[in-house]
Amino acid sequence: MPLPSQLPGHLLLSAPSPAAPSTPLGPFEDSAVAWTTWVTLMGFVGVTALAVIAVGPVARRIGPGALAVTTARLARVAVALGALAVPAILTDLAHSASPDGGYDYGAAWNTLYDGSNSGRLAGLEVTLVAVGAVLLAPLAARRTAAGAARPWLSAAALAAGAVALGTTKFPDAVPDDWGRTTFETVMWMLHLIGGAVWLGGVAGLAALALPGGTADADRGAFWSPVIRRFSAAAMSCVAAITLSGLFLYWEHVDGLSQLVSTMYGRVLGVKILIFGTLLLLGAFNQFWLHPRVEALRAAGDERPLRTLLVREFPVLVGAEAVLGMAVVFVAPFLHGSARNQAFQADAVKHVGASLDALPKLPAKDVSTATWVWGTGETLLVLAVMIAGYWASGVLARRQSAAKASTSRSVRSAAPAPSGSRSGS
């Protein structure tokens, strides 16, 4: 394979090929600390979004009791995640600030609002997630969970959490190319917030599926519209994650071969496999679980099916939540880019000696073809998501109609009570 033209001319030397430069995954401890930060911060945003988008509107229509029970359950989960996010973020900063790989919490605290852009962003991240948790704290009590302030507190907490999550990828310096930096930041926001709403929402559903999450009498009227609302939000998140993921793939990977030839590519491949499994579970829920919930409601009472759904639903959402946390765990192992790792390995092979400073490729140039392919991918992903949501709705309505018709037939064919009289 010829050496890429970006390699400096003085590196083209004839010598035996040494081993390729190491691209380690990094210390497990670093990734565990980063994972805790991401899980708590994204979980706070996702659980709060579930309350605002799906659970709150449905429970409010059922009644104040249902609204109080479900809001309090989700608020407690979100407050706990927000409270844990603050020390998790500080621990991540303390680990980065320590020169010997330890934890310097004093240095981490001093970086908050230290006058630099990175300090302001870190300060906002800690402050806003704490503010979000404080805003939701009154809703954790059932006696206040259904009050008039509920929608305002939930919306404000969600906005605070989303901005706190966004600060992790906001640029901390004035960019040379405003257009590209803005586009990259938007892609990261789609990736992070989409993942937070989807995966955190699944965790919130799992919390509601546990005993006491909803009243027994409200389950029939609660779960079907909640699942339908969350499905619409989740499919929008999947579209956002897919589109932003395609851009990040284009930016960091040159060809499918780098998925197996570089450490970055192999880690990304694991992440893609887990994400694909999540998509399969989501499709199973969309095309199997939801239509049967709708049919159950239409039939009035199908005890065997009700028992089956009650048993399987927590298992399914629990599996999705675990896989979602696995995706977040894998992500911190993505260091650098597959393009640079492959380029550096090739550079060392041609130079014949280890390099003190490994060369790096410049960022990819955006051409007209890039915009054409990107637009086509966007339209295709949106079309698939809209078609899937429509098809699952049609399936649900058909099964509901069939169940309702069967129930009416059974009731009409049932013998009249012994005490009734027939007409003359």
Side-chain angles (χ1 to χ4, degrees):
M1 168 177 150
L3 190 67
S5 59
Q6 290 90 342
L7 188 64
H10 69 277
L11 295 179
L12 299 176
L13 306 174
S14 295
S17 299
S22 174
T23 53
L25 292 174
F28 178 84
E29 182 183 9
D30 294 1
S31 295
V33 170
W35 175 80
T36 305
T37 304
W38 286 116
V39 164
T40 52
L41 189 54
M42 294 176 72
F44 175 82
V45 174
V47 172
T48 308
L50 176 69
V52 172
I53 295 170
V55 172
V58 173
R60 182 169 52 84
R61 288 199 297 268
I62 296 174
L67 183 60
V69 170
T70 55
T71 299
R73 171 65 65 91
L74 292 180
R76 290 167 190 167
V77 174
V79 169
L81 289 170
L84 290 173
V86 173
I89 296 167
L90 289 174
T91 299
D92 198 9
L93 292 172
H95 197 44
S96 301
S98 176
D100 58 359
Y103 297 89
D104 190 341
Y105 285 94
W109 184 261
N110 290 334
T111 61
L112 305 181
Y113 301 109
D114 62 357
S116 65
N117 287 334
S118 60
R120 294 188 188 96
L121 290 175
L124 285 173
E125 184 181 1
V126 172
T127 302
L128 289 175
V129 71
V131 168
V134 170
L135 288 171
L136 286 181
L139 303 183
R142 290 188 180 182
R143 63 179 180 275
T144 57
R150 178 195 58 83
W152 301 102
L153 292 174
S154 299
L158 177 59
V163 176
L165 183 60
T167 59
T168 60
K169 293 298 179 181
F170 290 164
D172 59 2
V174 178
D176 297 326
D177 185 345
W178 274 98
R180 186 184 184 106
T181 302
T182 301
F183 188 80
E184 288 177 347
T185 303
V186 170
M187 290 297 102
W188 272 115
M189 293 306 98
L190 290 175
H191 210 65
L192 291 178
I193 295 177
V197 173
W198 181 25
L199 302 177
V202 168
L205 289 177
L208 290 176
L210 294 174
T214 56
D216 293 341
D218 297 331
R219 286 179 182 174
F222 177 78
W223 280 113
S224 178
V226 164
I227 292 173
R228 193 63 179 166
R229 277 177 168 268
F230 179 70
S231 294
M235 293 187 78
S236 301
C237 292
V238 169
I241 294 169
T242 302
L243 292 173
S244 56
L246 287 171
F247 169 76
L248 295 172
Y249 175 89
W250 170 83
E251 194 173 43
H252 294 291
V253 183
D254 281 336
L256 294 176
S257 63
Q258 290 185 358
L259 287 177
V260 294
S261 63
T262 66
M263 183 60 72
Y264 183 98
R266 290 191 284 272
V267 174
L268 180 61
V270 172
K271 183 181 176 184
I272 291 172
L273 286 175
I274 299 174
F275 180 72
T277 306
L278 271 170
L279 283 181
L280 290 176
L281 280 177
F284 181 78
N285 288 341
Q286 187 75 11
F287 290 96
W288 185 90
L289 180 64
H290 178 260
R292 279 158 178 75
V293 173
E294 285 284 352
L296 179 64
R297 291 185 66 209
D301 187 13
E302 290 283 338
R303 294 191 182 278
L305 181 58
R306 184 188 298 275
T307 303
L308 179 66
L309 291 176
V310 168
R311 287 176 179 173
E312 292 199 12
F313 178 68
V315 175
L316 288 172
V317 295
E320 288 190 52
V322 170
L323 287 172
M325 289 189 289
V327 170
V328 178
F329 180 75
V330 170
F333 288 102
L334 290 169
H335 300 293
S337 74
R339 297 177 66 239
N340 278 323
Q341 289 177 8
F343 176 63
Q344 290 161 0
D346 197 55
V348 170
K349 182 177 71 174
H350 283 77
V351 169
S354 298
L355 301 174
D356 294 332
L358 291 171
K360 290 186 177 182
L361 289 168
K364 284 185 177 179
D365 292 327
V366 179
S367 63
T368 302
T370 306
W371 286 107
V372 171
W373 277 103
T375 302
E377 290 168 350
T378 302
L379 295 176
L380 178 62
V381 169
L382 293 178
V384 170
M385 294 299 160
I386 293 172
Y389 186 76
W390 173 82
S392 67
V394 170
L395 182 62
R397 288 190 292 272
R398 286 178 179 175
Q399 293 199 13
S400 297
K403 281 284 185 183
S405 176
T406 302
S407 296
R408 286 194 297 269
S409 299
V410 170
R411 286 195 297 269
S412 62
S418 58
S420 62
R421 291 189 245 178
S422 58
S424 56

